[in-house]
Amino acid sequence: MEIVNQIVGKVAEYALEPAIRQVGYLLHCKRNLESLQTQVNELGAARERLEREVVRVEEKGEKIHTDVLNWRKSVVEITEKAKELCKPDTQAKMSCLRGVCPNPVLRYKLGRRSTKLEQAVVELYAKRDFAIISYNVRPQEVSMVSDKQYEVFDSRTSTVKEIMDELRIPNTDLILVYGIRGVGKTTLVEEVHRQALKEKLFTDAVMVRSVQNPDLEGIQKEIARKLGMEVYESETMSERALRLCNRIKAKKVLVILDNIWESIDLQSVGLPCLPTCRILLTSRARKLLSSEKRLQKDFLLEVLNEEEAWRLFEMKAGGVVKNPNIQTVATEVAKKCGGLPVLVVTVASSLRNRSTLPVWRDALRCLKVFDNEHSAEHKAYSALEWSYNQLDDQKLKPLFLICGMLARLGGAYATLTNLLKYTIGLGLFNNIDLVEHAQYALHSRIEELKDSCLLLESEDNTSFTMHDMVHNVAISIASKGQHALLRTYGDELKEWPNNKDFLENCKMISLPCKNIPRLPEVLKCQQLEFFHLQYNGDLLEIPGNFFEEMRKLKVMDFTNVHIWSLPPSLLLLENLRTLCLDQCVVGDVTLVGQLSQLEILSFRYSKLKELPKEIGKLTRLRLLDLSWCSELKMISPNVISSLKSLEDLRMKNSFNGWVPEGITGERSNASLLELKDLPRLAALSVHVPDASSIPTDLFTDKLKRYEILIGTEPKWDDVDETLNTLKLHEMRKLMHLHNENFPGADPVFPNLKVLHVVACAALKDPVLSAIPFKNLTTLEVVGCHRLKYLTTYTIAKTLKRLREMTVGHCKRMRGIGATTSDAGNDGEICFSQLQSLKLYSLPRLQDFFFGNCIVKFRSLKTVHIYKCPELKINCLEWKSSPELGVQITEEVVRDYYWCHKDDDDDNEVDADGGLGDGNESNDDVYGRW
């Protein structure tokens, strides 16, 4: 009998229980769906808590760990699946015969899938707690002068060679490069830094700039950060010094301390005498710069000799100096520069291509006046001020002074984004009607200042910097001519000035200080036009009458402050054109809506939760920047549509809760439809989670600049804001890039420059088939598993401007391109400007282009091929690009995170609303290469 009971029990276990479970899917379908929704809501709340923490650490410049990124993506994916199951039209299919009878097949499928999905949600919710979500990223060293711009002179080459020899043979603890200001010490040690890393003499090389007033703890922290170490504010200097010392013992390290003025206690910093650590210093004078007894090798960097100075002068002044009538005077002008590179370059650039002899003679006369200066440094300052006086009074002089206020000492870069907002507010472009044209004019004028060598070249076209001597001259001129109150980044303002005459004539205040005294009840600056205050992030109490006597104020920028409420005296600023409250924690901003003359309003990186309806009163507003306002969840309806003068709307990584078209009744939030009511809108950055919510004809050729993200991906990568960019992320139902898929674009995204298509698993057609791509410069296609080809022969022939191409994790892709059955598909395709090609994890890729055509690359410099086992390498005309370096390697070139199905079946997206066949895996697979 016992045996019989065991048999019956096993039969029940293996037959009856599964049957009951299957019947339960049918009978309890509705209850299962409700339970699923409850679990998804809890998961969503957990994700929101994590998102707030992610935003906080990202604002500190930290990177998010891979497992956290994967968890967030899993939550997004599983939430989308749950929405598909729980939406009303899906549940409406549970009945047939017009709702009289239930549909048992669909009820069973919904019940089964909701149960399995709920299990996956519960498992995901259990993984919500992360001990650590982020890590510090080692700052990259940026040179003030790039290796391409570095001028080679015999006197410098020999000094660099001697220093490099000294670094190879560790005979000394310290190496000192000394010489007068402007002689080129920083440029020279940057070249040493480049060569040391290139020759792999050191594992790490870090540089701390402009250490005029040694802040030992600040130096210690910067070195630690640049070596990739954690910097804890709670630890003492001695504790951190011990960790830094242990870090340096482990690997060979070069530490460069630039512009040291006095001896420094290296031991207390954490840089004791070690065979693994070499220290290179620059200073204006020859002296022992270590408070300990260390062997120090000194190198004097002298001014350029006459021949070198003339060669540099001739290069910067242009061919006009070869004119026999001018050459004699030009030679004398060059001599007056005293061999100082910064002076030679600046003076020569100020006279570049001046073809009239009187201009040169006048320059020589002015420079002779400075012969009586007491020192070479004073002479250099006077000569730089002369170069400033050669600038256009209305166009370039005010811009140069503003650049001087924004630029930091030590070569750090200032952004053109802020500069544009300031210059428009100050009226530097009053004769230019459009923000777009003002931006072009600003770039043009920046280039003019670079041509005059009063600004230095930057890594891209979004920032600028200047030599510290030129920076000091700009500050000096502004302080005298504008009665400006100015401080450099990190300085401390101990007290507000009480000189009545100074305050009454003060036109500019710029205080990017770590400490600022309590604001006065009233700041009596009747002539003030520009007010920039950057705080340490603490609460800033603004007295109610603070702005009462600043009625000429045109630009106000309060950065990195906590402002719970704005004072009523703000309404007295009737001339205010630009208001920037960036990186701030702000409460009630309704008062801003009454600043009727406001043209520029910026809340960039601020913790702003709501944009109130009062902002809609700013009918003169031309630029609204809400970029990186990750906590912005509410924009009152019709606020955006009321801004009739708006030309530039920036919402990158910001609000995306757009109310879809066709919603009846009163809306609770902004709608994309409002953008169509902005007749002057020409620049737009926006995230649209669902393409179906885009109104018809939204993205027309009226848009000159745009960054548009469509899909579920919540984050943006930084790209050049001057390039028109379209990003399609995780649009799981997107099958074709046709107009009907993008009802808001006609023509589809005009003048597109950058295209990213990521995790669009249902995409079938060649990506480059329907959208006009003749201006495309960058293309990235990742995780599109149904794609077999990227483009056609006809479209490929139009890609004349493509410079970068990245294709990865497309499981079925056989070729980047293929010919069609149309006539004229034979011949040659030349990607004439393509410089970078990356192909990775393409298991079926056989050929670059299928068909009877030859593919050539005229400019290709780098190729990275990774996990493409079937690719015929010889199919590519590599030899047509002489500079090419092909890397077929397992080396990681770049990190990609994407989401794709573990299987390759065609049922990922079905016509019945995406339910699939019920056999999909619950777990998404995340890849990293």
Side-chain angles (χ1 to χ4, degrees), residues 510-625:
S510 180
L511 302 173
C513 299
K514 59 183 179 182
N515 282 314
I516 294 174
R518 182 183 178 89
L519 298 181
E521 286 299 317
V522 179
L523 189 59
K524 298 180 179 181
C525 295
Q526 293 92 337
Q527 304 300 318
L528 192 66
E529 295 184 353
F530 179 92
F531 193 0
H532 169 223
L533 188 150
Q534 184 165 331
Y535 205 37
N536 59 9
D538 291 340
L539 177 64
L540 181 69
E541 294 184 14
I542 308 176
N545 298 323
F546 181 70
F547 297 110
E548 195 173 274
E549 298 197 36
M550 299 186 203
R551 304 198 181 199
K552 289 189 177 181
L553 193 64
K554 296 179 180 178
V555 174
M556 186 171 80
D557 180 353
F558 281 13
T559 297
N560 197 29
V561 298
H562 287 209
I563 305 175
W564 297 124
S565 62
L566 295 167
S569 60
L570 183 73
L571 301 180
L572 300 175
L573 303 180
E574 297 177 353
N575 292 295
L576 195 66
R577 300 290 190 275
T578 294
L579 175 60
C580 300
L581 298 173
D582 297 339
Q583 301 175 47
C584 293
V585 177
V586 290
D588 185 5
V589 295
T590 54
L591 277 182
V592 174
Q594 298 186 50
L595 298 172
S596 59
Q597 300 301 308
L598 209 59
E599 297 182 17
I600 311 291
L601 177 59
S602 177
F603 292 102
R604 194 176 176 89
Y605 283 99
S606 285
K607 293 183 178 179
L608 175 72
K609 297 183 182 299
E610 179 182 358
L611 198 68
K613 62 182 180 180
E614 286 79 5
I615 299 298
K617 298 176 183 178
L618 301 176
T619 55
R620 296 174 65 92
L621 198 67
R622 300 164 65 191
L623 188 156
L624 175 60
D625 194 343

Side-chain angles (χ1 to χ4, degrees), residues 747-762:
V748 180
F749 306 107
N751 199 25
L752 184 64
K753 297 289 184 67
V754 178
L755 175 63
H756 295 254
V757 184
V758 178
C760 297

Side-chain angles (χ1 to χ4, degrees), residues 713-926:
E713 178 64 33
K715 292 291 179 185
W716 293 76
D717 296 323
D718 273 331
V719 295
D720 188 341
E721 293 181 356
T722 64
L723 298 179
N724 291 339
T725 301
L726 172 64
K727 296 189 175 189
L728 309 177
H729 277 254
E730 298 186 36
M731 297 179 65
R732 304 188 66 81
K733 294 185 179 181
L734 181 66
M735 303 180 72
H736 313 285
L737 290 187
H738 291 164
N739 287 45
E740 56 266 25
N741 296 104
F742 304 99
D746 185 24
V748 180
F749 306 107
N751 199 25
L752 184 64
K753 297 289 184 67
V754 178
L755 175 63
H756 295 254
V757 184
V758 178
C760 297
L763 192 61
K764 286 184 176 181
D765 279 354
V767 172
L768 308 185
S769 60
I771 295 178
F773 292 104
K774 64 180 182 179
N775 294 308
L776 203 65
T777 61
T778 302
L779 174 65
E780 177 184 69
V781 179
V782 178
C784 300
H785 299 307
R786 291 191 177 185
L787 272 181
K788 294 182 179 179
Y789 304 102
L790 194 61
T791 185
T792 64
Y793 176 88
T794 305
I795 297 296
K797 294 278 285 184
T798 68
L799 301 177
K800 303 292 186 183
R801 300 180 182 179
L802 192 65
R803 297 170 65 87
E804 298 178 30
M805 181 189 296
T806 300
V807 185
H809 282 282
C810 299
K811 293 181 179 179
R812 298 185 180 184
M813 185 165 287
R814 298 180 57 205
I816 301 302
T819 58
T820 62
S821 58
D822 301 335
N825 274 257
D826 297 340
E828 179 181 292
I829 296 176
C830 181
F831 293 92
S832 57
Q833 293 194 35
L834 189 68
Q835 296 182 8
S836 172
L837 176 63
K838 297 174 186 176
L839 307 173
Y840 66 92
S841 297
L842 303 170
R844 300 186 188 179
L845 186 70
Q846 299 175 14
D847 211 331
F848 190 83
F849 220 94
F850 275 89
N852 298 320
C853 64
I854 299 173
V855 181
K856 291 190 175 182
F857 309 90
R858 298 297 185 197
S859 306
L860 203 55
K861 294 180 180 178
T862 59
V863 174
H864 295 285
I865 302 174
Y866 176 76
K867 287 189 178 180
C868 300
E870 296 185 20
L871 179 62
K872 305 168 190 173
I873 301 300
N874 293 332
C875 74
L876 299 171
E877 294 285 337
W878 305 124
K879 295 181 181 179
S880 64
S881 185
E883 298 183 32
L884 178 64
V886 182
Q887 296 186 16
I888 305 168
T889 173
E890 294 296 306
E891 178 185 351
V892 175
V893 180
R894 179 178 173 189
D895 289 341
Y896 283 94
Y897 303 94
W898 75 99
C899 176
H900 67 282
K901 298 299 296 178
D902 196 23
D903 52 14
D904 235 342
D905 62 85
D906 285 332
N907 295 314
E908 286 180 328
V909 180
D910 290 346
D912 68 352
L915 295 176
D917 62 0
N919 297 320
E920 295 93 332
S921 166
N922 283 328
D923 296 325
D924 288 317
V925 179
Y926 291 86

